[in-house]
Amino acid sequence: QAEVEETLKRIQTHKGVIGTIVVNAEGIPIRTTLDNSTTVQYAGLLHQLTMKARSTVRDIDPQNDLTFLRIRSKKHEIMVAPDKEYMLIVIQNPSE
Amino acid sequence: MSIPTAKLKKPTLKVTPSSRAMNISTSGILRLNRSATYARSINASVSRKSFCLAADSKILEKSSVQTPKHTIQVLDENGKDVTPRPVYQPDPAAVQSKHSKIFASDTSGGTMSDFYSTTYQTTTNASFAGAFTRSLFGSGSVSIGSQSIMESMSEEIEDPSSKRDNSISLSDVQVKREEVKELIQEEMLDDMVDLYLVESDTLCLLDMPAISVSVDSMEAESVKERNSRYTELCKNRTGNDKYMGRSMQTFNGASKTKEVQSEAITMADAATIANNWDMYDSFCSAGQGEVDLSTDTDKASIAEMIHQNHGPTRTMERTMSVISSSTIVSSSSSRMEMEPFVVPSESKPDPELILQSEEFQQHLFVMERIILENIYQPKLAAYRQLPTLEDPDSMPKAVPMVVSRREESSLDEEGPPTPALERLWSFSCELTTGRNVSSMAWNKRNPDLLAVGYGQFAFKDQKPGLVCCWSLKNPSWPERIFTCQSGVTALDFSASSASMLAVGMHDGTIATYNVQSREKTPVIDSSDCVHKHTSPVWQVRWINHERALSGEDKGEALISVSADGRISKWFLRKGLDCIDLMKLKRTRNDRFKRQVGEKERKSEALISRQAPGLCFDFHPTDSNIYLAGTEEGHIHKCSCSYNEQFLETYQAHKGPLYRITWSPFCSDVFLSCSSDWTIQLWRQDLFTPVLGFMSTQRAVYDVMWSPKWATVFGAVNEGRMEIWDLGASILDPTIVNPASPGVKLTSLLFATETDCVLVGDSDGQVSVYQLKNFTAGEGTQVGTLEDIIGSTLASQL
């Protein structure tokens, strides 16, 4: 739907957003605003981290589940919305 | 062939105690006989050859097999025939006869040799079969009775006598001769039967002659002699020509190496970690499976799942791990949803489908909010009066510390900081630019939700209106967008059903929207109503009537005022319908005090008898009383019980009234603002305003009491926004915030829980300002206001 495209476009135009990536469960990018190598790198690394995070959350309480993951680093913030079929990644530099 | 046994008819043997010689001789005879006995046909004439070896001598025979029985007669020194009688003397005629006959002492055993030969044959056969082959013999029928064979032939050495009775039946015997079964007759049963147990001959199986001889024995001498001869021989051996040493070499077999190589055994490591959630998932899915499906389908699906190598269900993966050792694949696909035993399809979801899916949209939604939160965090925190988090990584402002200290000190010198407005952010997007903000309303239940209506006030340049529902969490894009066919002029959220939004439009239509749904169309529309408004609806309000009015149901009702001079109450009865609460009639604008109920009598030519109503406000506590403001500048106090007459009329304004608001703290006081540049403060019982405020020569579009402070209200006129604090000054506004050039401010809204003010302008922006350093205490506010009023009145008198 056009709404989804619009939202994606809007996200990209927000202040400080460096890139938006949507990958499917195998790590193949569906939508990305970064170059391919960076996309694949981000997707691969974040996939593993998300797995680990989810495992941690569920180990503590199996009825719980991971819904969102934010990593704040010195330079920017990586936000990951994981799902069973895809992963939405946004990199933002909020202090721009 | 002649049977040399004939010669051995009666060999006379001298049996001596030392039977060694005899042995040798016997063996010689044995040898002869051996050959003979192998012959099948034995001459029956060689009958009655009874022999036996000397039973009482220790005769070690070479082999039991080769021990034929010869007819040896043994004579002792006296020449007496002490030939041991044979144990068994078969009587061919009476083979089947009684046992007694067998052991009869008569040595007239008929065809002994025959028998022996046959038995020997059988023995041979048996012996070839095995040494202890009793069983073979036992297979035959016991019809022969308990005949015992020459046990010495086939018997073991040790038990010569005991097994007599257990005769080995000679089935082969029957081959040789016909046996005549003698019928057991009655009288035979009573006969005495004598049984004799005799020791049989000793069989020799192994003969190991001793190599040592006792000194006392007879042979000692000869042995000694022989030994000494041997030692001498050994001495003489060396150098003796007779003896030569010789060596031999054995051949070593040629060795051959042979190699075999097998295929490399491929090994694969498989590991799994049983996590907490892993076990929980398996447990849950197993439990679900049992409940939902039968066991057959369970097994079938499990079997199917084992063969699936890539499946999207977590359940499947967990059962795989349970059944077969799973690899990291299972842990990586662990984030699958729980689908109890649904056979997963191998097809990967289409990327486009992913994008269209609900979860993706939801995630996008959340993500956007988070991004915006990152951007707006300080502003939002200020809005909510939370301490703002400073970004530790942001670059510090390039202001040297010294200067700031000086600034602070200078500020301190001035005294308490002045109240000011700080602009936090503004709600706007490209949809709204260029539109005039006409009204704003907070949602009654969710104080973060704001509805803004966009529509032109003036009659000209009308364009389709817009209603946007903004959320505080996303100042850059509205949550809901509703387009209306004409400009929106009034908005209000319902209090009872918090998702209902009533919209009044420039063409008189009233519509209600449900903001929860994503539909773009109104829930209900008043365009079909007969009594609908024909002029712009300037205000709508949901009013909660506590007291039921003459048969109508209690609850919330939608009240609207429009320029056609009617105040209508809308309800749902087979569609939206309204009844008129009041018709605003024109009253003459003159200086005379008007009595209640006096009607107009002047016969002035009027365009219409109705006065356009512009605003109204219900009393905060008594929902029966309301004030209505008209275009003439009159304020009418009305009651819902009377729909023909006004209760009161307040006249002071010279221009159309744009807003009337009761004070939320003092129930007698209300404010009104109009296009005659003034704001008037009224008390309910006085027909002249108590206080009037004028700051600029511009029409005041909106005024609102602050929900927090009783003496504070905000007003917005064309050029600026003002915050008045009556406790501080009644002549001048406390805070003034000019508008950007070219933009007219049109509406004002206080935020209910925080110190923020929202200002809408003609460019489609709704700016959020925070009141800073506003120190107006709350406790004595009402008192202060009343004091002010009182003092003012007193001063007027």
Side-chain angles (χ1 to χ4, degrees):
Chain A
Q1 284 178 6
E3 209 180 291
V4 168
E5 295 293 338
E6 231 183 78
T7 314
L8 271 171
K9 214 164 41 160
R10 235 182 21 245
I11 286 180
Q12 185 58 32
T13 54
H14 279 313
K15 185 181 110 167
V17 173
I18 298 170
T20 313
I21 300 168
V22 182
V23 286
N24 71 350
E26 281 132 24
I28 301 169
I30 302 174
R31 284 268 187 290
T32 174
T33 59
L34 304 168
D35 55 285
N36 197 33
S37 57
T38 317
T39 304
V40 168
Q41 190 182 24
Y42 265 104
L45 294 168
L46 286 168
H47 180 84
Q48 296 174 31
L49 185 63
T50 316
M51 284 295 101
K52 191 67 185 170
R54 177 179 258 116
S55 177
T56 307
V57 166
R58 295 208 73 214
D59 256 347
I60 295 166
D61 178 9
Q63 288 174 336
N64 207 352
D65 199 6
L66 181 72
T67 52
F68 208 85
L69 184 65
R70 284 168 88 164
I71 305 154
R72 184 81 177 85
S73 76
K74 269 213 288 210
K75 291 192 187 167
H76 39 249
E77 178 161 356
I78 304 169
M79 293 166 275
V80 181
D83 190 82
K84 78 167 174 2
E85 284 165 22
Y86 60 88
M87 199 160 54
L88 169 66
I89 304 165
V90 174
I91 305 123
Q92 185 192 21
N93 184 4
S95 59
E96 218 174 60
Chain B
M1 97 200 203
S2 70
I3 294 156
T5 50
K7 296 176 192 164
L8 306 168
K9 243 185 193 169
K10 276 186 187 17
T12 310
L13 285 176
K14 189 88 190 250
V15 180
T16 56
S18 71
S19 54
R20 200 172 261 259
M22 196 198 83
N23 258 357
I24 294 169
S25 55
T26 317
S27 55
I29 300 162
L30 285 173
R31 250 176 263 126
L32 279 172
N33 256 1
R34 214 176 292 131
S35 57
T37 50
Y38 279 111
R40 276 228 159 236
S41 58
I42 307 274
N43 199 347
S45 64
V46 189
S47 61
R48 227 167 276 248
K49 292 209 171 82
S50 67
F51 76 96
C52 69
L53 297 169
D56 51 352
S57 67
K58 291 181 199 150
I59 296 172
L60 305 169
E61 301 175 1
K62 295 273 178 321
S63 80
S64 60
V65 180
Q66 312 295 338
T67 311
K69 298 291 180 203
H70 308 283
T71 49
I72 302 167
Q73 208 173 25
V74 178
L75 302 167
D76 65 359
E77 306 91 46
N78 302 332
K80 242 188 355 185
D81 186 6
V82 289
T83 314
R85 292 192 286 271
V87 171
Y88 176 72
Q89 291 172 354
D91 193 353
V95 164
Q96 303 292 333
S97 64
K98 309 151 205 154
H99 322 277
S100 54
K101 290 257 169 73
I102 298 166
F103 299 104
S105 45
D106 57 326
T107 55
S108 62
T111 55
M112 277 299 266
S113 65
D114 291 13
F115 174 69
Y116 292 149
S117 55
T118 50
T119 50
Y120 182 51
Q121 265 179 324
T122 54
T123 321
T124 316
N125 296 337
S127 64
F128 284 145
F132 311 97
T133 52
R134 268 257 196 149
S135 56
L136 273 178
F137 293 99
S139 62
S141 65
V142 200
S143 57
I144 305 177
S146 54
Q147 297 169 5
S148 68
I149 326 150
M150 296 303 287
E151 304 283 3
S152 53
M153 282 193 275
S154 60
E155 192 70 47
E156 293 102 0
I157 301 172
E158 50 270 22
D159 51 351
S161 57
S162 58
K163 304 268 171 71
R164 285 294 154 210
D165 297 328
N166 316 338
S167 64
I168 299 168
S169 62
L170 301 162
S171 49
D172 296 8
V173 177
Q174 294 178 13
V175 176
K176 267 299 165 177
R177 62 178 105 186
E178 291 185 11
E179 316 219 316
V180 179
K181 275 201 178 178
E182 197 178 294
L183 293 168
I184 299 174
Q185 294 166 4
E186 286 286 334
E187 52 271 18
M188 285 195 235
L189 285 174
D190 295 333
D191 291 347
M192 287 293 291
V193 176
D194 297 322
L195 297 172
Y196 295 91
L197 300 176
V198 178
E199 185 186 342
S200 69
D201 296 331
T202 312
L203 298 172
C204 174
L205 293 176
L206 178 65
D207 180 15
M208 280 173 61
I211 53 171
S212 59
V213 177
S214 163
V215 180
D216 308 332
S217 75
M218 266 79 65
E219 309 154 343
E221 290 285 333
S222 56
V223 169
K224 268 191 211 162
E225 205 193 310
R226 282 217 317 268
N227 285 352
S228 56
R229 256 193 280 142
Y230 185 72
T231 43
E232 274 200 34
L233 182 74
C234 286
K235 275 188 226 155
N236 298 333
R237 206 169 65 129
T238 55
N240 200 335
D241 285 338
K242 278 194 192 171
Y243 299 94
M244 268 173 60
R246 202 149 181 217
S247 56
M248 293 287 291
Q249 187 177 19
T250 58
F251 285 111
N252 291 328
S255 63
K256 181 176 169 185
T257 30
K258 189 152 189 192
E259 288 165 10
V260 173
Q261 189 175 18
S262 67
E263 263 187 37
I265 302 168
T266 50
M267 308 237 227
D269 285 333
T272 184
I273 301 171
N275 290 313
N276 214 359
W277 46 267
D278 201 341
M279 295 188 269
Y280 175 82
D281 283 347
S282 322
F283 179 72
C284 282
S285 59
Q288 274 183 351
E290 277 165 15
V291 167
D292 295 343
L293 307 170
S294 64
T295 49
D296 297 329
T297 38
D298 278 5
K299 283 175 196 145
S301 49
I302 290 174
E304 279 176 62
M305 280 180 257
I306 291 173
H307 298 303
Q308 299 275 3
N309 50 0
H310 169 73
T313 64
R314 188 195 272 146
T315 312
M316 186 211 79
E317 292 296 345
R318 292 285 76 73
T319 39
M320 266 177 75
S321 65
V322 160
I323 293 166
S324 64
S325 64
S326 63
T327 59
I328 310 168
V329 174
S330 67
S331 61
S332 68
S333 47
S334 61
R335 52 193 183 145
M336 312 299 183
E337 283 171 355
M338 197 95 70
E339 281 177 274
F341 292 99
V342 171
V343 179
S345 58
E346 281 279 353
S347 66
K348 299 152 208 168
D350 196 15
E352 289 307 310
L353 285 178
I354 291 176
L355 292 178
Q356 314 304 337
S357 67
E358 271 300 312
E359 296 112 2
F360 187 69
Q361 290 183 16
Q362 185 63 29
H363 274 127
L364 270 180
F365 178 70
V366 173
M367 181 70 82
E368 192 181 0
R369 283 201 171 176
I370 291 177
I371 292 169
L372 288 162
E373 184 217 335
N374 273 338
I375 299 170
Y376 286 104
Q377 198 275 335
K379 308 285 164 55
L380 287 173
Y383 179 88
R384 297 205 195 275
Q385 295 165 331
L386 295 170
T388 59
L389 301 171
E390 226 187 70
D391 193 0
D393 300 318
S394 65
M395 298 298 292
K397 302 236 164 49
V399 176
M401 288 298 290
V402 183
V403 176
S404 64
R405 235 181 270 134
R406 251 188 271 136
E407 276 182 11
E408 281 173 21
S409 58
S410 68
L411 277 173
D412 287 335
E413 283 169 12
E414 280 178 13
T418 54
L421 279 180
E422 185 191 330
R423 186 173 185 280
L424 296 178
W425 73 86
S426 76
F427 291 107
S428 72
C429 65
E430 71 255 5
L431 283 181
T432 64
T433 50
R435 292 175 186 271
N436 180 39
V437 174
S438 60
S439 53
M440 296 185 288
W442 288 108
N443 187 307
K444 301 285 193 299
R445 197 185 296 173
N446 181 2
D448 287 347
L449 209 58
L450 176 74
V452 179
Y454 302 86
Q456 307 298 113
F457 285 145
F459 182 73
K460 57 188 166 90
D461 54 59
Q462 279 290 318
K463 50 187 167 183
L466 189 69
V467 176
C468 286
C469 289
W470 295 87
S471 163
L472 221 66
K473 297 168 188 161
N474 189 348
S476 70
W477 192 258
E479 304 295 318
R480 297 279 187 273
I481 302 167
F482 304 110
T483 45
C484 316
Q485 65 261 38
S486 75
V488 173
T489 50
L491 276 183
D492 196 28
F493 266 110
S494 160
S496 58
S497 52
S499 59
M500 296 297 283
L501 176 67
V503 176
M505 286 178 249
H506 201 274
D507 62 354
T509 321
I510 290 178
T512 51
Y513 287 87
N514 184 4
V515 297
Q516 261 184 345
S517 75
R518 293 218 161 244
E519 283 178 26
K520 306 284 186 158
T521 55
V523 172
I524 201 148
D525 205 335
S526 79
S527 18
D528 300 330
C529 174
V530 177
H531 303 293
K532 66 178 181 188
H533 289 296
T534 49
S535 304
V537 175
W538 288 114
Q539 192 158 358
V540 291
R541 192 73 27 112
W542 292 92
I543 302 296
N544 204 2
H545 289 290
E546 282 109 34
R547 294 175 309 184
L549 306 161
S550 59
E552 278 155 23
D553 35 3
K554 245 176 23 170
E556 229 183 12
L558 179 63
I559 315 255
S560 69
V561 68
S562 109
D564 61 1
R566 286 173 21 221
I567 297 177
S568 320
K569 178 171 158 182
W570 296 82
F571 49 86
L572 251 124
R573 193 195 292 168
K574 289 189 218 164
L576 199 61
D577 204 3
C578 71
I579 60 164
D580 285 344
L581 283 183
M582 179 60 65
K583 285 192 177 50
L584 297 167
K585 299 191 180 59
R586 276 189 182 278
T587 56
R588 268 197 25 205
N589 184 13
D590 54 22
R591 300 273 174 91
F592 307 137
K593 274 212 176 152
R594 295 239 150 236
Q595 299 298 324
V596 173
E598 205 174 301
K599 293 198 181 138
E600 219 222 46
R601 285 197 203 96
K602 278 252 174 120
S603 55
E604 278 179 15
L606 298 165
I607 299 169
S608 88
R609 288 174 63 88
Q610 311 284 67
L614 290 181
C615 52
F616 70 97
D617 195 15
F618 271 73
H619 196 274
T621 46
D622 182 9
S623 60
N624 235 354
I625 311 289
Y626 60 94
L627 294 166
T630 67
E631 205 181 8
E632 301 168 319
H634 302 315
I635 302 173
H636 304 289
K637 185 162 93 168
C638 322
S639 162
C640 296
S641 330
Y642 309 102
N643 57 358
E644 291 288 324
Q645 296 167 350
F646 311 130
L647 294 177
E648 307 270 351
T649 305
Y650 307 89
Q651 297 179 16
H653 282 287
K654 301 174 183 58
L657 285 174
Y658 285 131
R659 184 70 69 189
I660 298 180
T661 55
W662 289 96
S663 166
F665 292 96
C666 294
S667 54
D668 287 340
V669 178
F670 61 91
L671 271 176
S672 65
C673 72
S674 89
S675 65
D676 65 352
W677 314 334
T678 60
I679 304 167
Q680 308 286 345
L681 178 78
W682 303 78
R683 213 169 73 174
Q684 202 181 176
D685 49 349
L686 300 170
F687 292 109
T688 54
V690 176
L691 284 168
F693 312 99
M694 187 172 97
S695 57
T696 54
Q697 292 171 349
R698 287 184 184 268
V700 182
Y701 280 124
D702 205 348
V703 70
M704 184 171 171
W705 286 99
S706 160
K708 262 178 99 169
W709 299 292
T711 56
V712 176
F713 63 89
V716 71
N717 57 26
E718 278 182 14
R720 55 196 215 170
M721 188 262 285
E722 299 160 358
I723 305 285
W724 292 76
D725 184 3
L726 296 178
S729 154
I730 59 172
L731 295 174
D732 286 316
T734 318
I735 306 171
V736 172
N737 189 43
S740 338
V743 171
K744 288 197 280 189
L745 304 177
T746 54
S747 52
L748 180 85
L749 191 67
F750 272 91
T752 42
E753 282 163 26
T754 71
D755 304 344
C756 292
V757 182
L758 278 74
V759 178
D761 60 18
S762 62
D763 197 29
Q765 280 201 23
V766 176
S767 312
V768 181
Y769 294 91
Q770 192 189 23
L771 298 169
K772 289 193 95 86
N773 309 318
F774 211 78
T775 54
E778 264 203 59
T780 55
Q781 282 287 301
V782 176
T784 321
L785 183 63
E786 288 180 350
D787 288 346
I788 295 166
I789 295 170
S791 60
T792 317
L793 290 172
S795 66
Q796 280 175 0
L797 290 169

